[in-house]
């Protein structure tokens, strides 16, 4: 009986010391100690410190508990500073370094920090650990913890797309924030479209008209799966919109009127698709107006338009990726009620914000910005590149990253001597 009791108490301890443990293993080793169960975490020694993981993998949206202790008892107190790249992570909810204090008494007690990755793509960084102490063994000791950032997500440039029937789509390239081995979609994509199982790229030529339907794209590896639902509509007719690659002063003339010059710039721009004719969505008060007399062209039947750019009851998409933008009503616009609602399904462009000349009023929606005393609101009918003083009295612009009315009129104006892009609409 005595031998059996000795075996039960001692075998687990003997077993734990006899195993060839991987010091990078972060799982808990459970020991029976006669009084219950205690969890001991495998530690990694870095310099004079011990940590729970090295290297460290962070997942966006999931806090990670990172623990540190000293490897041996110091003769004096030790202060350990945790420094990190605050553009990619936070520690204990903050963006400044954190200091942990150890004494000869608590040196082997794990102290924790909570780390959150702020990187939304696969990325890398470092955590720098350094110590200061009157104990020479610990003074100016340092270690570097390599960090890998993952985001268990698959994203496309939009979440709802409208493709033109029997026309090759712009390839949809996803951003996937973690190492993955397989891509799949449910249900099967519309006829003519396909998903590359190794890249999650969507391509092809849709052949059958359909209303918007939801498809879930999944990227996965052995332990993680990211799902992204997207809407796909197929229609025989949709009109494309793009923001020019080039930018221009407030003088848009090009051998003709300002409006003719603006349209010519749209059709000569590098961002213009290979097919279609485009006009600039800009008003000058003479050759081009959207709503001449009433905000939102109401009441009216579209007769307010001069030099028409938007058509009645039509669907509009972003030229770069077929992301759905908006649908016009019988007046050739869509009704705007305030400055804060998202009226566009997507912004006019992805990436960094670009501003483009429009000339629209701030609250008289779709009407021209007008003051007989300040013709510079439209850079003198888009014929002037003279510096505007103050700049706020300059040409009115829209913002490429907005989905509110700011996409057509964003804040005050900019000097007519400044450079801005154009917003171009397929005709």
């Amino acid at each position: 009986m005595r031998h059996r009791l000795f075996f039960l108490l001692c075998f687990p301890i003997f077993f734990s010391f006899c195993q060839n443990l991987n010091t990078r293993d972060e799982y808990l080793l459970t020991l029976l100690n006669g009084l219950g169960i205690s969890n001991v975490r495998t530690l990694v020694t870095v310099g004079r410190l011990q940590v729970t993981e090295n290297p460290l993998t962070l997942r966006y949206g999931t806090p990670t508990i990172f623990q540190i202790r000293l490897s041996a008892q110091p003769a004096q107190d030790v202060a350990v500073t945790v420094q990190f790249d605050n553009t990619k992570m936070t520690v204990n909810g903050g963006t400044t370094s954190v200091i942990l204090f150890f004494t000869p008494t608590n040196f082997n007690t794990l102290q924790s920090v909570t780390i959150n990755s702020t990187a939304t793509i696969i990325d890398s960084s470092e955590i720098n650990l350094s110590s200061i102490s009157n104990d020479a063994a610990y003074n100016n000791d340092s270690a570097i913890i390599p960090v890998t950032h993952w985001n268990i997500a698959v994203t496309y440039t939009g979440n709802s797309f409208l493709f033109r029937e029997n026309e090759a789509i712009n390839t949809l390239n996803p951003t996937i924030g973690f190492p993955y081995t397989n891509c799949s979609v449910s249900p099967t994509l519309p006829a003519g479209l396909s998903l590359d199982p190794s890249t999650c790229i969507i391509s092809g030529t849709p052949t059958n008209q359909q209303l918007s339907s939801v498809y879930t794209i999944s990227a996965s590896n052995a332990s993680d799966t990211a799902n992204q639902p997207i809407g796909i509509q197929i229609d025989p007719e949709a009109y494309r919109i793009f923001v020019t690659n080039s930018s221009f002063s407030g003088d848009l003339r090009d051998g003709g009127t300002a409006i003719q010059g603006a349209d010519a710039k749209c059709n000569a721009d590098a961002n213009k698709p290979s097919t279609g004719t485009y006009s600039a969505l800009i008003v000058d008060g003479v050759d081009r107006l959207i709503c001449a007399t009433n905000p939102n062209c109401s009441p009216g039947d579209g007769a307010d338009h001069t030099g028409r750019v938007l058509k009645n009851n039509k669907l509009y998409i972003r030229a770069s990726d077929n992301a759905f933008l908006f649908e016009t009503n019988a007046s050739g616009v869509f009704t705007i009620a305030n400055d804060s609602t998202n009226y566009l399904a997507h912004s006019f462009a992805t990436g960094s914000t670009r501003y483009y000349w429009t000339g629209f009023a701030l609250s008289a929606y779709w009407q021209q910005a007008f003051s007989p005393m300040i013709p510079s609101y439209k850079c003198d009918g888009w014929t002037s590149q003279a510096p505007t003083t103050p700049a706020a009295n300059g040409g009115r612009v829209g913002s490429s990253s907005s989905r509110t009315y700011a996409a057509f009129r964003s804040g005050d104006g900019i000097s007519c001597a400044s450079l801005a892009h154009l917003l171009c609409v397929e005709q």
Side-chain angles (χ1 to χ4, degrees), residues 156-157 161 163 169-174 200-203 230 321:
Y156 292 87
T157 51
F161 299 91
F163 301 126
I169 71 170
N170 293 307
T171 299
L172 299 185
N173 295 282
C200 292
I201 291 175
I202 299 174
S203 61
I230 62 172
D321 60 359

Side-chain angles (χ1 to χ4, degrees), residues 46-49 128-131 138-144:
V46 287
R48 301 281 293 178
L49 306 175
N128 294 280
L129 304 176
S130 59
S131 62
Y138 279 99
N139 194 39
N140 295 321
D141 188 49
S142 63
I144 294 177

Side-chain angles (χ1 to χ4, degrees), residues 12-72:
I13 297 174
F14 173 80
F15 180 80
S16 69
F17 282 105
C18 289
Q19 299 308 298
N20 183 23
L21 294 177
N22 180 356
T23 59
R24 296 177 59 185
D25 183 12
E26 66 175 354
Y27 291 101
L28 298 178
L29 178 64
T30 302
L31 300 177
L32 294 175
N33 61 10
L35 299 176
I37 296 176
S38 63
N39 291 325
V40 179
R41 192 165 189 174
T42 303
L43 300 177
V44 184
T45 300
V46 287
R48 301 281 293 178
L49 306 175
Q50 291 184 326
V51 298
T52 47
E53 191 171 351
N54 181 35
L56 178 64
T57 297
L58 301 179
R59 300 177 181 224
Y60 179 80
T62 301
T64 295
I65 304 299
F66 183 68
Q67 297 179 301
I68 305 168
R69 75 179 187 183
L70 306 187
S71 61

Side-chain angles (χ1 to χ4, degrees), residues 152-322:
I152 310 302
V154 51
T155 58
Y156 292 87
T157 51
N159 52 40
S160 60
F161 299 91
L162 196 168
F163 301 126
R164 301 204 287 203
E165 186 179 14
N166 295 318
E167 180 178 295
I169 71 170
N170 293 307
T171 299
L172 299 185
N173 295 282
T175 297
I176 302 176
F178 67 107
Y180 65 98
T181 56
N182 182 65
C183 296
S184 60
V185 59
S186 179
T188 303
L189 289 174
L193 297 181
S194 62
L195 178 82
D196 189 313
S198 61
T199 64
C200 292
I201 291 175
I202 299 174
S203 61
T205 301
T207 56
N208 297 323
Q209 182 178 352
Q210 70 170 43
L211 297 176
S212 184
S213 297
V214 176
Y215 300 85
T216 298
I217 312 299
S218 300
S220 60
N221 57 31
S223 59
D224 300 292
T225 298
N227 298 314
Q228 177 61 50
I230 62 172
I232 294 179
Q233 179 176 347
I234 301 169
D235 199 272
E237 183 180 65
Y239 292 85
R240 296 170 290 190
I241 296 179
F242 69 90
V243 178
T244 59
N245 178 67
S246 299
S247 55
F248 316 94
S249 73
D251 185 354
L252 297 175
R253 293 173 295 179
D254 189 18
T257 67
I259 295 302
Q260 290 171 336
D263 291 349
K265 289 173 171 58
C266 282
N267 288 290
D269 192 75
N271 284 350
K272 174 188 172 294
S274 59
T275 60
T277 300
Y278 291 78
S279 294
L281 186 57
I282 191 171
V283 293
D284 68 346
V286 178
D287 294 319
R288 182 158 294 162
L289 289 169
I290 301 298
C291 297
T293 57
N294 298 298
N296 292 314
C297 299
S298 178
D301 60 359
D304 271 356
H305 294 269
T306 299
R308 174 182 289 274
V309 174
L310 298 174
K311 302 178 184 295
N312 299 355
N313 302 313
K314 298 300 181 183
L315 301 168
Y316 287 86
I317 59 177
R318 192 163 60 195
S320 61
D321 60 359
N322 296 86

Side-chain angles (χ1 to χ4, degrees), residues 88-117:
K88 297 180 181 179
M89 69 182 91
T90 63
V91 174
N92 291 346
T95 57
T96 57
S97 58
V98 173
I99 301 178
L100 305 176
F101 295 96
F102 294 89
T103 68
T105 302
N106 76 350
F107 75 95
N108 61 351
T109 299
L110 287 168
Q111 296 193 38
S112 302
V113 293
T114 301
I115 306 176
N116 282 279
S117 174

